């Protein structure tokens, strides 16, 4: 993965300085997902950053599941996260679970209690919120704040032993109810939850809160640089307070960077889960989802995602990236890799009336228009073909150069054909067009007798492979859904998927496997769907159309 992360950023400068001054001999970073959903493209940014830094500075990186909330977590998510990180091309030095540190965290909470820096509080959740005050008003002290160390030790142990109901008591840090930083107003450290945990089973009925658990997890693992998103900046003093007051030997440094936001995209596991639960999408890996598994199924490649993450860089101010930038990188990656094929998405039968019945021939066509070294393939051609409905107009509009009665076009890699007759059904719909071809005009024969203004693609009807083509538009309509007053579920694009039954050429697609990529002539880059493809029918997801005017700014 070296050389993929060479652009400079402020975090690298911090690391270089820490290594130069001898603060650290080597670095350890971590990617700490909570297993309460599937990873999304925003997580990819964090993964590329944390794994990229460890790689570049020859340090280590841990994959750590931040599994301190048993209510929302599940092994399904744990497994998907591991798969996604590997698929992106990264490997961790250690795999850890925060829940493995529950004993250690409990001990550290006792350290706080013994120092008089934590107490058991009986206020309800609502009361705690009320007592906390606001940005402009100081908070009020809990009446339980001055319990003795002995009483706190006893109550906390009984909390652990399951003597109290959920919500009856919490353990809070005793810091400063009038601090201008609200995070310091006696934050909750432990809460009671009689819930089964995916890793520790029923061993615990008290669970540490994120603000307390996270710094301890980092310190326990000897993380040197704990990289998180900007919204945690206000929590950094509290992070440092817990590391110090819990007397952790190793002192990690929290550094915040801007999270990735994309246009036309919701990027929060909570919202993505809602899309899944309410059946708006076909699971977490729906090709319209910004999840890693959705992008994979759609046909995005790890290289494209990594290049995208490198291009967007790491900054300290939030911004929204145009999702077309991701498309730019996938096109760039697929252009040299994905073999050309002809596929007809909306078929219209074309019969060449002067082509001998029962005859076929094999035509040699290149595999990559921009790269001769990719070679050629033989594509069957015959009397009956499919072309795109859009490539024919009975009454052509101005500047329409493709097929219409009396007009001649080139069939890609084959011959000129001229339309002579239009066959319609009883409702007047065009069902077939009859053409004649000119054998002299065979592609590659050097024919220069006359010119045509258009080349269209085609598939030979008898040998064609039935294919389903799935075309996508953004799932979310507005450009900045998070900023509008509207609920994101009201902004779902009703036309985000179009499913077409068409045909593909047989040769190139003969051994097509799940997730194989093709560039269908004029129609875009496609990937074989890993859920709906069967032996009878290939299902293709369009990754991106061929062209866009978008170029990332340098
Ligand atoms: P979400 O907001 O989607 O629920 P999260 O922050 O709650 O995400 P975690 O599982 O806690 O999800 O995230 C793991 C890591 O990924 C964290 O370090 C977090 O900062 C980072 N991360 C999450 N979303 C983004 C994003 N949009 N851009 C960059 N990093 C992100
Ligand atoms: Mg989180």
């Amino acid at each position: 993965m070296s050389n993929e992360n060479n652009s400079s950023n402020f975090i690298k400068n911090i690391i270089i300085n820490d290594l130069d001054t001898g603060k650290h001999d080597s670095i350890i970073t971590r990617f700490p997902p909570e297993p309460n959903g599937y990873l999304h493209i925003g997580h990819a940014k964090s993964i590329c950053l944390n794994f990229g830094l460890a790689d570049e500075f020859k340090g280590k990186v841990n994959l750590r599941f931040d599994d301190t909330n048993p209510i929302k977590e599940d092994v399904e998510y744990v497994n998907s996260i591991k798969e996604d990180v590997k698929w992106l091309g990264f490997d961790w030095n250690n795999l850890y679970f925060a829940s493995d540190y529950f004993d250690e965290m409990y001990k550290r909470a006792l350290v706080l209690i013994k120092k008089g820096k934590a107490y058991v509080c009986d206020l309800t959740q609502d009361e705690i919120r009320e007592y906390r005050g606001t940005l402009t008003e100081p908070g009020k002290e809990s009446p339980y704040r001055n319990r003795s160390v002995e009483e706190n030790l006893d109550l906390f142990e009984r909390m652990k032993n399951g003597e109290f109901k959920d919500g009856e008591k919490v353990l809070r840090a005793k810091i400063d109810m009038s601090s201008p930083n609200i995070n310091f107003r006696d934050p909750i450290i432990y809460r009671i939850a009689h819930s089964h945990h995916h890793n520790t089973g029923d061993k615990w009925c008290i669970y540490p809160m994120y603000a307390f658990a996270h710094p301890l997890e980092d310190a326990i693992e000897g993380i040197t640089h704990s990289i998180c998103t900007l919204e945690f900046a206000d929590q950094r003093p509290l992070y440092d307070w817990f590391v110090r007051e819990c007397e952790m030997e190793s002192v990690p440094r929290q550094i915040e960077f801007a999270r990735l936001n994309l246009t036309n995209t919701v990027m929060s596991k909570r919202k993505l889960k809602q899309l899944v639960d309410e059946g708006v999408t076909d699971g977490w890996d729906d090709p319209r989802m910004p999840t890693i598994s959705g992008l994979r199924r759609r046909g995005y490649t790890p290289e494209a995602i990594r290049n995208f993450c490198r291009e967007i860089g790491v900054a300290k101010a939030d911004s929204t990236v145009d999702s077309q930038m991701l498309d730019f990188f996938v096109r760039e990656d697929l252009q040299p890799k994905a073999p050309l094929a002809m596929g007809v998405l909306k078929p219209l039968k074309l019969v060449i009336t002067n082509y001998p019945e029962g005859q076929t021939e094999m035509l040699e066509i290149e595999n990559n228009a921009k790269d001769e070294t990719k070679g050629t393939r033989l594509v069957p051609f015959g009397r009956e073909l499919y072309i795109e409905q859009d490539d024919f107009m009975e009454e052509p509009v101005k500047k329409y150069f493709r097929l219409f009665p009396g007009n001649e076009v080139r069939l890609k890699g084959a011959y000129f054909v001229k339309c002579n007759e239009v066959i319609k059904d009883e409702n007047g719909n065009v069902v077939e067009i009859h053409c004649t071809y000119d054998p002299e005009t065979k592609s590659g024969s050097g024919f220069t007798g006359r010119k045509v203004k258009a080349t269209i693609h085609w598939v030979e009807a008898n040998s064609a492979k039935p294919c389903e083509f799935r075309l996508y538009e953004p799932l979310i309509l507005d450009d900045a859904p998070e900023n509008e007053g509207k609920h994101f579920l009201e902004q779902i694009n009703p036309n985000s998927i179009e499913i077409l039954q068409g045909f593909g050429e047989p040769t190139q697609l003969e051994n097509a496997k799940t997730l194989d990529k093709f560039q269908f002539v004029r129609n875009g880059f496609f990937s074989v769907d890993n859920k709906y493809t069967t032996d009878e029918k290939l299902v293709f997801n369009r990754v991106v159309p061929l062209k866009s005017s978008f170029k990332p700014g340098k």
Side-chain angles (χ1 to χ4, degrees):
M1 223 102 313
S2 336
N3 301 326
E4 285 206 13
N5 216 298
N6 279 343
S7 60
S8 191
N9 69 51
F10 75 101
I11 300 179
K12 279 188 199 178
N13 294 337
I14 292 174
I15 292 175
I16 290 168
N17 190 51
D18 286 348
L19 293 172
D20 283 352
T21 59
K23 182 177 176 194
H24 299 295
D25 295 331
S26 63
I27 65 158
I28 309 184
T29 59
R30 87 290 178 258
F31 174 64
E34 185 181 353
N36 60 354
Y38 281 60
L39 296 182
H40 52 61
I41 181 80
H43 292 117
K45 177 177 179 181
S46 174
I47 293 169
C48 288
L49 179 60
N50 280 293
F51 283 77
L53 289 170
D55 180 66
E56 188 177 344
F57 292 98
K58 300 195 170 41
K60 290 200 168 117
V61 54
N62 298 341
L63 173 62
R64 180 209 309 148
F65 287 99
D66 206 339
D67 56 349
T68 54
N69 179 3
I71 296 146
K72 293 187 175 163
E73 295 161 4
D74 199 282
V75 279
E76 176 196 347
Y77 301 135
V78 170
N79 293 333
S80 76
I81 290 169
K82 286 197 257 185
E83 185 186 348
D84 289 350
V85 174
K86 283 202 184 134
W87 178 78
L88 278 174
F90 297 107
D91 210 352
W92 45 87
N93 295 95
N94 298 294
L95 176 71
Y96 291 131
F97 289 86
S99 53
D100 288 338
Y101 313 142
F102 281 168
D103 282 298
E104 180 68 27
M105 290 178 192
Y106 181 78
K107 279 192 213 146
R108 300 289 167 165
L110 294 180
V111 169
L112 291 181
I113 295 176
K114 285 178 189 158
K115 288 162 76 168
K117 300 217 166 172
Y119 62 99
V120 173
C121 183
D122 299 4
L123 292 180
T124 64
Q125 238 184 36
D126 288 344
E127 286 166 337
I128 289 178
R129 199 174 306 127
E130 215 181 290
Y131 276 56
R132 189 176 293 136
T134 64
L135 285 175
T136 49
E137 283 166 60
K140 216 165 56 174
E141 294 191 351
S142 160
Y144 305 98
R145 198 171 198 261
N146 295 315
R147 278 178 164 151
S148 69
V149 169
E150 289 67 35
E151 191 183 358
N152 282 320
L153 286 172
D154 174 62
L155 286 172
F156 187 48
E157 187 174 354
R158 288 167 58 196
M159 278 170 66
K160 179 180 82 136
N161 293 343
E163 288 186 32
F164 307 112
K165 291 200 283 291
D166 290 7
E168 217 177 312
K169 293 190 180 340
V170 292
L171 183 72
R172 298 175 72 177
K174 189 171 174 177
I175 312 182
D176 180 2
M177 287 309 289
S178 56
S179 171
N181 184 339
I182 282 193
N183 295 302
F184 273 101
R185 298 186 188 168
D186 292 8
I188 300 175
I189 303 179
Y190 267 92
R191 69 199 169 109
I192 303 171
H194 292 268
S195 282
H196 189 82
H197 188 282
H198 77 97
N199 193 25
T200 56
D202 296 315
K203 179 177 175 196
W204 295 90
C205 64
I206 54 170
Y207 290 94
M209 302 300 286
Y210 181 87
F212 168 75
H214 201 82
L216 297 199
E217 293 160 21
D218 285 340
I220 290 168
E221 291 175 14
I223 302 301
T224 53
H225 300 84
S226 169
I227 301 166
C228 64
T229 41
L230 283 180
E231 66 272 21
F232 291 99
D234 283 350
Q235 292 220 17
R236 191 184 340 120
L238 182 60
Y239 179 104
D240 293 340
W241 189 92
F242 279 126
V243 171
R244 190 174 64 245
E245 296 298 340
C246 291
E247 299 171 16
M248 305 306 292
E249 291 74 37
S250 157
V251 179
R253 170 170 177 186
Q254 176 179 309
I255 305 168
E256 307 88 20
F257 74 106
R259 64 193 301 119
L260 171 65
N261 301 304
L262 275 184
T263 53
N264 295 88
T265 310
V266 290
M267 198 110 71
S268 136
K269 281 184 284 189
R270 187 178 55 76
K271 291 180 181 171
L272 295 174
K273 185 166 189 307
Q274 216 172 327
L275 292 171
V276 174
D277 290 347
E278 302 196 7
V280 176
T281 62
D282 172 27
W284 285 95
D285 66 347
D286 185 300
R288 293 164 295 176
M289 290 282 266
T291 51
I292 305 295
S293 51
L295 292 167
R296 172 168 63 233
R297 186 168 156 208
R298 172 88 164 251
Y300 286 81
T301 57
E303 292 82 359
I305 296 173
R306 292 201 304 263
N307 291 341
F308 166 76
C309 288
R310 187 186 48 193
E311 175 68 25
I312 56 175
V314 175
K316 273 195 261 196
D318 274 322
S319 64
T320 299
V321 175
D322 193 325
S323 56
Q324 292 193 64
M325 197 200 272
L326 183 56
D327 294 350
F328 170 88
F329 282 102
V330 79
R331 265 185 214 105
E332 195 179 67
D333 187 49
L334 291 181
Q335 176 58 47
K337 290 182 187 166
L340 270 178
M342 290 198 284
V344 172
L345 276 48
K346 295 181 183 167
L348 172 64
K349 182 72 89 55
L350 182 154
V351 180
I352 305 174
T353 51
N354 62 339
Y355 195 90
E357 229 157 307
Q359 184 177 311
T360 50
E361 62 184 300
M362 299 302 275
L363 301 175
E364 192 176 0
I365 300 184
E366 78 272 6
N367 285 326
N368 190 315
K370 292 183 182 156
D371 183 1
E372 274 180 26
T373 65
K374 291 284 187 326
T376 59
R377 67 192 185 285
L378 293 172
V379 181
F381 182 84
R383 181 183 160 90
E384 295 195 357
L385 314 172
Y386 291 115
I387 62 164
E388 299 282 358
Q389 289 168 15
D390 289 351
D391 285 340
F392 173 78
M393 275 189 116
E394 191 177 9
E395 288 166 24
V397 293
K398 225 176 156 192
K399 296 210 172 158
Y400 187 86
F401 300 121
R402 287 167 281 164
L403 266 185
F404 53 86
N407 194 38
E408 191 173 45
V409 298
R410 172 180 289 288
L411 292 174
K412 186 174 172 55
Y415 302 94
F416 288 5
V417 287
K418 183 173 180 179
C419 175
N420 306 307
E421 198 182 347
V422 183
I423 315 292
K424 297 181 183 173
D425 64 13
E426 62 270 24
N427 299 322
N429 299 316
V430 177
V431 288
E432 214 171 273
I433 53 175
H434 286 183
C435 297
T436 45
Y437 86 120
D438 178 354
E440 301 288 305
T441 59
K442 186 168 180 177
S443 194
S445 67
F447 174 80
T448 51
R450 61 186 183 279
K451 286 189 172 160
V452 286
K453 285 191 173 155
T455 299
I456 65 172
H457 62 274
W458 51 274
V459 173
E460 195 276 320
N462 291 309
S463 59
K465 262 183 176 299
C467 293
E468 180 173 303
F469 299 97
R470 296 176 162 232
L471 311 185
Y472 301 101
E473 292 292 332
L475 186 61
I476 304 290
L477 281 173
D478 286 354
D479 272 351
E482 315 276 354
N483 300 334
E484 322 284 314
K486 261 198 219 161
H487 191 270
F488 78 99
L489 287 179
E490 294 170 47
Q491 290 166 278
I492 302 293
N493 178 359
N495 304 313
S496 59
I497 180 167
E498 185 181 7
I499 300 182
L500 302 169
Q501 306 301 334
F503 296 98
E505 62 164 85
T507 330
Q508 193 72 287
L509 304 181
E510 186 163 9
N511 299 310
K513 299 183 307 300
T514 282
L515 297 186
D516 278 356
K517 318 284 187 279
F518 296 93
Q519 177 179 344
F520 281 113
V521 176
R522 296 167 67 215
N523 281 319
F525 292 101
F526 288 72
S527 176
V528 181
D529 189 69
N530 58 12
K531 192 162 170 183
Y532 295 122
T533 293
T534 62
D535 289 343
E536 286 72 48
K537 185 166 77 177
L538 285 165
V539 175
F540 285 98
N541 295 312
R542 180 153 73 182
V543 193
V544 279
L546 289 180
K547 281 202 183 82
S548 152
S549 51
F550 185 85
K551 289 248 157 51
K554 291 274 168 188

